[in-house]
Amino acid sequence: MRIGSQFAAGGSTALSALYQAASELGRFSIQLSTLRRINRGSDDPAGLIAAGRIQSELSALKAASSNAARASGMI
């Protein structure tokens, strides 16, 4: 067995691990910068759907609260 072939296999493994670490670092930096756990559908598809529903309910509650305040002001 050649010595060079052993080093080449180890080098490709290390390079693959380096690319994976860089990919995870990019994902974690996006999560830290947005302060959100779910930023895309690939992070957690079910969680993304649930978060969208919660956000729409929250905006509906804010609108209802604003309408109630206006109605109270008119009375």
Side-chain angles (χ1 to χ4, degrees):
M1 182 185 307
R2 290 183 17 205
I3 293 175
S5 65
Q6 290 176 342
F7 291 129
S12 65
T13 303
L15 188 60
S16 174
L18 179 64
Y19 285 143
Q20 183 178 2
S23 174
E24 288 179 5
L25 179 64
R27 186 172 56 91
F28 291 141
S29 66
I30 290 172
Q31 287 178 344
L32 282 173
S33 66
T34 60
L35 297 176
R36 296 173 68 189
R37 185 180 66 88
I38 303 171
N39 292 302
R40 333 170 247 196
S42 63
D43 292 339
D44 184 9
L48 183 65
I49 292 169
R53 288 181 182 168
I54 291 172
Q55 286 177 350
S56 65
E57 287 180 19
L58 182 61
S59 64
L61 287 173
K62 284 181 182 179
S65 175
S66 174
N67 290 340
R70 278 192 236 153
S72 175
M74 288 182 68
I75 293 175

